[in-house]
Amino acid sequence: MGLVRCAEEDETAVEELRRMILGELEDDDGGFEGGGGRMWKGERRRGIPGKRMEAGAAERVERRMPVCVTSGVSYIGWAIADRLMRRGYTVRLVVETGDDLAMLGETGAFEGTEASRIFPVVVNMMEMSSLCEAFDGCAGVFHTSAFLDTAGISGYTKHMAVKEASVAGKVVEACVLTSSVRTCVFTSSLLACIWRQYPGLARRSVSTLVDESCWSDENLCTDKKLWLALGKTMAEKAVWRAARGKDLKLATLCPALITGPGFCARNPTSTIAYLKGGREMYAEGLLATTDVSRVAEAHVRVYEAMGGSAAGRYICFDHIVRSDRDAAELCRGAGLAEHLSIIEGGSDVAPHFQLSNDKLRRLLSSRHCFVSDLIR
């Protein structure tokens, strides 16, 4: 899903995206045609007709098949696409409008050594036929679920939460219907794990560990008007429902507040939306951040490990905000210094909960062999 932008913001967005594509995101070494999803210049479409292939044969084939990344103009969407290309994958990049496609073209995204590995396509994310056509011939889909209204004050509304959940469910349904697609990685959020309520004295008896087994309470999110947390929770539950009992491997990533070069310039409203309730998150030890390069790497590593034991949810964070100094630095780095009050004051009490990213850390530290290494 793309970003809903004001027209006057396009020039700035193009420049920021251009800088990101030129490599300012990365910490390692590492011509197109539009249309309604019908043509990918230079790409051979390798749809697999009929029912899905047996696992062993399918894995041999899909190592050379493209993968699809939705929300191609979003910060996280491009970061994942870029990481995939650096690993040797061919990427079909989904955008929602011709304007998004033109913006990518203006940035020079399809020039240089990696240009032969990326193929943009305009897709109507609300239409099943459009989604299936975009996914046809791809072995896997990365649905990044970026949904923001930069014209809004908070960047996110209850209506958008409902729409995001609907689109997320459709994406997984389309994956199930597309015979070539065997794997889907969905980008959720840590916000889908941390907002829970404990009536009375029950809080004292619950585990203080927050891991992949924890889900945010939709009623609590609604009561507190935490629309981004509500949207991420609803969307992630929607994809798990859509995949249940189906011949599709699914994993979800739950990153903390995403940071990185140029992020605040392109996504100030997403940071504001994430930090709604920030003081409470800070007080409870649940306010964390993660660099976009780590998030992108985690997506690729999880995808490549899903042929083995990788499955389920993965919490992703690098740093937990534990002091007023950390909080002030976060707001300054995000260009929100004047909004420090949304966080400050949260250190008056000892944090009650402890975040865990052990599951993802074990995967990232394993000697897992990349599929892209096997095809070179």
Side-chain angles (χ1 to χ4, degrees):
M1 291 170 278
L3 302 182
V4 181
R5 298 185 305 277
C6 297
E8 58 268 23
E9 294 176 324
D10 285 349
E11 184 175 344
T12 300
V14 168
E15 175 58 22
E16 291 295 338
L17 186 58
R18 184 191 68 79
R19 292 172 57 198
M20 180 171 62
I21 288 171
L22 288 177
E24 295 185 7
L25 271 181
E26 288 300 329
D27 58 357
D28 61 356
D29 298 325
F32 64 90
E33 297 184 16
R38 295 182 177 278
M39 184 178 296
W40 295 268
K41 186 176 180 180
E43 178 186 9
R44 287 195 306 167
R45 301 182 62 181
R46 306 182 184 91
I48 303 176
K51 66 178 182 179
R52 298 181 190 274
M53 303 168 67
E54 293 300 321
E59 287 174 7
R60 289 192 295 273
V61 171
E62 68 187 41
R63 290 173 185 170
R64 296 183 179 274
M65 295 169 64
V67 292
C68 187
V69 179
T70 67
S71 192
V73 296
S74 72
Y75 193 69
I76 182 60
W78 178 262
I80 293 171
D82 182 64
R83 186 58 60 106
L84 285 163
M85 288 187 292
R86 289 170 184 266
R87 295 292 188 197
Y89 286 90
T90 297
V91 178
R92 193 174 295 169
L93 195 66
V94 166
V95 297
E96 285 193 80
T97 68
D99 289 342
D100 288 339
L101 193 62
M103 186 176 78
L104 280 171
E106 291 172 23
T107 64
F110 311 114
E111 301 172 0
T113 58
E114 304 294 342
S116 62
R117 291 191 179 135
I118 186 166
F119 304 92
V121 56
V122 177
V123 175
N124 184 337
M125 301 295 290
M126 297 298 292
E127 287 188 3
M128 189 66 65
S129 60
S130 185
L131 289 168
C132 289
E133 186 175 13
F135 299 164
D136 181 35
C138 292
V141 172
F142 292 80
H143 182 46
T144 64
S145 191
F147 219 133
L148 298 170
D149 179 5
T150 58
I153 295 176
S154 70
Y156 208 89
T157 63
K158 184 178 182 180
H159 169 72
M160 296 174 75
V162 174
K163 185 175 182 180
E164 182 162 317
S166 174
V167 171
K170 282 183 168 63
V171 166
V172 173
E173 289 174 17
C175 289
V176 171
L177 291 173
T178 307
S179 58
S180 64
V181 177
R182 298 180 55 83
T183 307
C184 178
V185 179
F186 173 76
T187 310
S188 181
S189 172
L190 181 59
L191 294 178
C193 307
I194 62 176
W195 287 104
R196 300 173 295 164
Q197 55 187 348
Y198 312 100
L201 299 176
R203 174 189 180 94
R204 298 180 181 178
S205 62
V206 300
S207 171
T208 60
L209 184 69
V210 176
D211 61 12
E212 288 79 9
S213 67
C214 300
W215 285 90
S216 290
D217 186 301
E218 292 181 31
N219 291 328
L220 177 64
C221 293
T222 300
D223 292 343
K224 289 180 173 288
K225 294 182 170 53
L226 302 169
W227 305 130
L228 185 60
L230 177 66
K232 297 305 181 183
T233 303
M234 292 173 58
E236 188 179 355
K237 288 183 177 180
V239 301
W240 284 114
R241 283 195 301 270
R244 186 179 300 133
K246 303 298 193 303
D247 184 19
L248 178 74
K249 298 175 183 177
L250 174 68
T252 60
L253 270 291
C254 300
L257 177 62
I258 297 175
T259 60
F263 179 76
C264 64
R266 296 194 67 238
N267 299 276
T269 51
S270 66
T271 303
I272 294 174
Y274 190 103
L275 291 177
K276 190 172 184 180
R279 182 181 302 178
E280 188 173 345
M281 285 189 282
Y282 175 29
E284 299 287 13
L286 298 173
L287 180 57
T289 62
T290 183
D291 188 83
V292 67
S293 62
R294 178 179 174 85
V295 178
E297 178 71 10
H299 278 74
V300 178
R301 290 293 296 271
V302 167
Y303 174 76
E304 294 184 332
M306 288 172 71
S309 59
R313 310 173 82 199
Y314 291 85
I315 287 177
C316 178
F317 66 87
D318 304 329
H319 176 70
I320 299 175
V321 177
R322 300 186 186 275
S323 68
D324 288 344
R325 181 178 179 179
D326 283 351
E329 184 177 341
L330 170 60
C331 285
R332 283 195 300 270
L336 301 171
E338 70 276 18
H339 298 286
L340 181 57
S341 60
I342 64 179
I343 299 178
E344 66 180 357
S347 62
D348 297 337
V349 295
H352 184 78
F353 295 102
Q354 178 183 356
L355 285 173
S356 171
N357 60 356
D358 288 349
K359 184 179 178 182
L360 180 61
R361 191 179 50 194
R362 286 194 298 270
L363 186 146
L364 294 179
S365 63
S366 68
R367 298 180 61 84
H368 177 69
C369 181
F370 282 103
V371 172
S372 52
D373 292 336
L374 295 176
I375 66 176
R376 291 175 179 172

